[in-house]
Amino acid sequence: MTPPLIAVLNGPNLNMLGTRQPELYGAATLDDVEALCAEAAEALGLAIDFRQTNGEGELVTWIQECRGRAAGIVINPAAYSHTSIAVMDALKAVDLPVVEVHISNIHRREEFRHLSYVSKVATGVIAGLGIQGYALALRAMAELLAQEGNT
């Protein structure tokens, strides 16, 4: 039996993890995040498709491609959380469980970061727990899929 596929999508500037504001985001790189996700997914009986883009349109396209292909989406939309109605609409349109992840606690940061359009359509949100938030998101996704009978 093929394990359920979870798209793990990352937005702008996450390719700079480890060098960009390490006091806020830590020393882990995006490669470290991908390795953590692969390990967590394997332990949970999931497959992942891990991607990062700096482009809003590309992120929207990837979300749309999940319809009929993925069982769920774990997404760190980064700055697009606060600005992109297009990302929100795409997530809504694919009709899949979505877990939003933020490495930092967006509610302890600048006021403009407190609003997330993605949160309005996400099944759940994990923020402020560093890169471990990704592993927690995959665990939550596995539980959501089990409740729906998709595993």
Side-chain angles (χ1 to χ4, degrees), residues 42-101:
E42 183 177 354
L44 294 163
L46 302 172
I48 61 167
D49 179 5
F50 190 94
R51 301 181 187 191
Q52 185 277 329
T53 183
N54 291 319
E56 181 180 22
E58 187 169 35
L59 185 57
V60 168
T61 297
W62 290 348
I63 293 166
Q64 292 172 353
E65 289 172 353
C66 289
R67 187 177 183 94
R69 185 173 83 80
I73 299 171
V74 170
I75 186 168
N76 183 340
Y80 292 140
S81 309
H82 323 295
T83 64
S84 182
I85 293 169
V87 169
M88 178 188 74
D89 285 349
L91 289 166
K92 192 173 187 179
V94 296
D95 195 30
L96 292 169
V98 174
V99 179
E100 180 182 6
V101 175

Side-chain angles (χ1 to χ4, degrees), residues 14-33 103 129-132:
L14 288 166
N15 57 308
M16 302 295 292
L17 281 178
T19 58
R20 175 182 176 233
Q21 295 178 279
E23 70 283 357
L24 188 60
Y25 298 109
T29 66
L30 192 61
D31 287 340
D32 296 331
V33 175
I103 295 169
L129 299 176
I131 68 168
Q132 287 302 316

Side-chain angles (χ1 to χ4, degrees), residues 7 22 30 109 118 131 134:
L30 192 61
R109 298 188 59 196
V118 171
I131 68 168
Y134 285 86

